Amino acid sequence: MGAVARHGTGTAVTRSERLRPIIADVADRRLDAMERLYQLSSPKLYGLCLRILRRPELAKSALKTAYLKIWKGARTLPADLDPLYWMVCIVRESALETARTNEDAGESWEPFEVEEPAEDPLAEGTHSDQLKRLLACLGTLSEERRRMVLLAFYDGWSREALSVYFDAPMHTVNTWLKRSVAEIDEQLSK
Amino acid sequence: MTVNDDDRQFVAEYVLGTLPAALRLMTRTRISDEPDIADVARMWERRLAPLHELAVPIAPPADLWADIAVSLIPPPIPLTPEEEEEIKKGLPALQDAFAVPNKAEAGDNEPVLAEPLGDMAPGVQARLKKWRWTAILLGVALVGGGSVFAYREWDRYTDLHYFASLQAERSAAVLVRVGVRDGDILVRPFLDPAPAGQTYQLWLVPDGQPARSLGTFSSGFTARSDILRRLGPKGAAKAMLQVTLEPGSGSDVVPTGEVLYSGRLLPE
């Protein structure tokens, strides 16, 4: 999966190889494994939650819900999927549900700034090939549509929020999104 | 793969996160119920998830792990006074029967989670799902004010797809998506089964005109309707959808039962 870590023996271990046995132990209801998984992944996953929700108490609640789903669904981790991708999807879904169903979770129009980023135990020196391919694909979109996709992913903005931010009618935003999805689909299907 | 372009778009936007609450809810039910739709969702999750590599890691609140861990450990099973008395008497069988588990087991007294519900009895699943949907839909109702925004572009809207959340009070119970170009109807009810000998019936009530049946249902269904095709965008802007409970196989002409749920069509 692209992300590689080197341990003391010099053996290259991918992030997926590192996480998969831990999640297998989580599936066996081992709390120590769950704590290890939390230690490794929570800085990245909390960062995703907080950027979407902006309010720490909401981000905390959404992340807790996500980890409970991970605990409950550890047996369902697809064999061919990077475990971190799987967790990222669960966490984003939890944060988006909180954002869409909580009347206090309005969009923040301010740029997301972090004074003290945490250390990411799963960080790798280089970006994965999947990310590079996706970024190359996004690079072919117009600047507005590229920003729209990235704001939707990172900030969790809905069609309505994008319409306000870009000062564009809703049907224009829908058309932009539709074209963006179609073009990404076409390029990544090759 | 039998997923049409329209649905592929919805699923991609579901994963991306741009769908409004009600559409998000409907898409989630389809991902849960339809394997082809779920495959498209998984594909988009794989495509977009690598973006996380550019997200900034932030230290979570110090007490979060403890909070999570407490939720993962099942609480002791409470005993009745009679059972405590039996155990005090030293009956080994009862001691075994009421032993507190040493470690958490899958599904044991865990917090209420969205998925999966597979280990529970079907009746319990149905009740849990109903309440889960009720909670989510209440949330949808709370953000319903945002849909007013959609009216701003009503006259200029060209995609010709509409969405309605039919509800009583603030608890939505039937989600309906219609396309006035092709007359497509997609219905997702969150209701108890109709009483024996009765059926739910969906009605279109154009402005100033009598109600017209769009079909009866007991579960989710899709259909095509000439009535909707003839309605057009202007008619849809003023029309209502209603659900009634009708005797037998439904009413042929006009609704005879009380209106259980109603709602307006909003452009997507």
Side-chain angles (χ1 to χ4, degrees):
Chain A
M1 286 290 175
V4 175
R6 287 194 179 274
H7 289 201
T9 59
T11 306
V13 179
T14 67
R15 183 181 61 217
S16 181
E17 289 168 345
R18 198 173 169 197
L19 288 176
R20 195 165 285 279
I22 298 175
I23 294 180
D25 286 342
V26 170
D28 288 336
R29 296 297 178 260
R30 282 184 48 185
L31 200 57
D32 59 337
M34 187 65 184
E35 184 170 13
R36 179 72 181 136
L37 184 66
Y38 176 86
Q39 289 167 345
L40 289 172
S41 60
S42 59
K44 171 67 73 180
L45 300 183
Y46 183 68
L48 286 167
C49 267
L50 189 61
R51 180 156 178 183
I52 289 175
L53 294 164
R54 300 298 176 102
R55 290 176 48 185
E57 71 275 17
L58 293 179
K60 180 182 173 184
S61 172
L63 188 59
K64 178 182 174 183
T65 300
Y67 272 111
L68 294 178
K69 285 182 179 175
I70 288 167
W71 169 266
K72 189 104 177 176
R75 288 191 181 90
T76 67
L77 168 64
D80 58 346
L81 181 62
D82 183 329
L84 188 57
Y85 286 9
W86 178 69
M87 289 193 289
V88 164
C89 294
I90 291 173
V91 165
R92 284 196 73 246
E93 180 155 334
S94 179
L96 289 168
E97 291 306 322
T98 302
R100 297 290 176 270
T101 56
N102 193 315
E103 61 181 353
D104 296 330
E107 287 82 9
S108 170
W109 308 111
E110 301 299 320
F112 185 67
E113 294 179 351
V114 181
E115 291 183 3
E116 289 186 44
E119 183 183 347
D120 180 6
L122 296 175
E124 306 295 341
T126 59
H127 295 315
S128 68
D129 292 340
Q130 291 92 332
L131 176 65
K132 291 174 185 170
R133 187 166 182 233
L134 177 59
L135 292 179
C137 174
L138 294 176
T140 64
L141 303 180
S142 70
E143 183 182 348
E144 273 186 326
R145 288 197 282 130
R146 180 169 62 250
R147 288 177 64 205
M148 187 170 279
V149 171
L150 294 175
L151 284 167
F153 183 88
Y154 289 114
D155 295 271
W157 283 5
S158 65
R159 292 172 174 178
E160 289 88 344
L162 294 167
S163 173
V164 172
Y165 182 79
F166 286 97
D167 193 22
M170 186 81 86
H171 71 270
T172 301
V173 167
N174 290 348
T175 302
W176 286 350
L177 285 168
K178 198 166 188 172
R179 283 184 192 160
S180 302
V181 165
E183 288 178 27
I184 295 169
D185 194 17
E186 183 182 349
Q187 292 196 40
L188 295 185
S189 295
K190 290 176 183 172
Chain B
M1 184 81 53
T2 57
V3 181
N4 63 39
D5 289 346
D6 200 31
D7 287 340
R8 291 174 72 87
Q9 170 73 19
F10 266 114
V11 173
E13 282 202 59
Y14 173 86
V15 175
L16 187 58
T18 49
L19 293 183
L23 278 176
R24 187 171 176 78
L25 179 62
M26 174 174 271
T27 305
R28 181 141 49 92
T29 66
R30 297 193 63 194
I31 290 171
S32 173
D33 297 343
E34 301 175 38
D36 286 349
I37 296 281
D39 287 345
V40 176
R42 299 292 90 81
M43 178 184 74
W44 278 101
E45 286 174 354
R46 287 169 200 267
R47 286 174 168 177
L48 297 176
L51 287 172
H52 81 80
E53 293 175 38
L54 302 180
V56 181
I58 301 172
D63 61 345
L64 179 55
W65 166 246
D67 198 10
I68 292 170
V70 165
S71 298
L72 301 179
I73 302 168
I77 302 167
L79 303 180
T80 64
E82 293 77 17
E83 291 164 348
E84 287 177 351
E85 189 61 31
E86 291 295 327
I87 289 175
K88 282 178 186 170
K89 290 177 184 173
L91 295 176
L94 269 180
Q95 285 178 357
D96 288 344
F98 294 104
V100 176
N102 290 325
K103 68 173 185 177
E105 298 292 345
D108 280 348
N109 297 305
E110 291 184 348
V112 177
L113 299 178
E115 296 290 349
L117 298 170
D119 294 341
M120 301 179 188
V124 176
Q125 281 187 38
R127 287 197 297 276
L128 273 179
K129 281 189 173 182
K130 179 186 171 187
W131 284 108
R132 194 178 87 205
W133 284 119
T134 302
I136 293 170
L137 291 168
L138 274 173
V140 171
L142 287 173
V143 299
S147 60
V148 173
F149 178 86
Y151 281 104
R152 198 180 75 183
E153 298 304 325
W154 184 269
D155 292 331
R156 299 169 60 187
Y157 197 78
T158 56
D159 203 20
L160 305 181
H161 276 93
Y162 299 85
F163 193 80
S165 172
L166 312 190
Q167 54 194 70
E169 301 293 330
R170 296 180 64 160
S171 178
V174 184
L175 298 178
V176 183
R177 184 179 186 235
V178 303
V180 295
R181 179 181 295 151
D182 299 322
D184 295 330
I185 312 170
L186 174 63
V187 175
R188 293 275 154 169
F190 304 98
L191 302 170
D192 287 330
Q198 293 181 290
T199 185
Y200 293 113
Q201 190 157 1
L202 179 66
W203 301 89
L204 173 73
V205 188
D207 187 39
Q209 297 180 41
R212 296 169 193 179
S213 175
L214 295 177
T216 60
F217 63 93
S218 57
S219 59
F221 76 96
T222 58
R224 281 202 162 177
S225 163
D226 288 337
I227 297 172
L228 278 172
R229 247 197 313 261
R230 291 195 295 268
L231 185 66
K234 288 187 177 177
K238 298 178 180 176
M240 292 283 291
L241 288 178
Q242 296 178 340
V243 172
T244 60
L245 194 58
E246 300 292 340
S249 57
S251 171
D252 291 335
V253 186
V254 294
T256 61
E258 178 188 358
V259 175
L260 301 177
Y261 308 99
S262 65
R264 285 201 175 278
L265 289 164
L266 298 173
E268 290 173 358

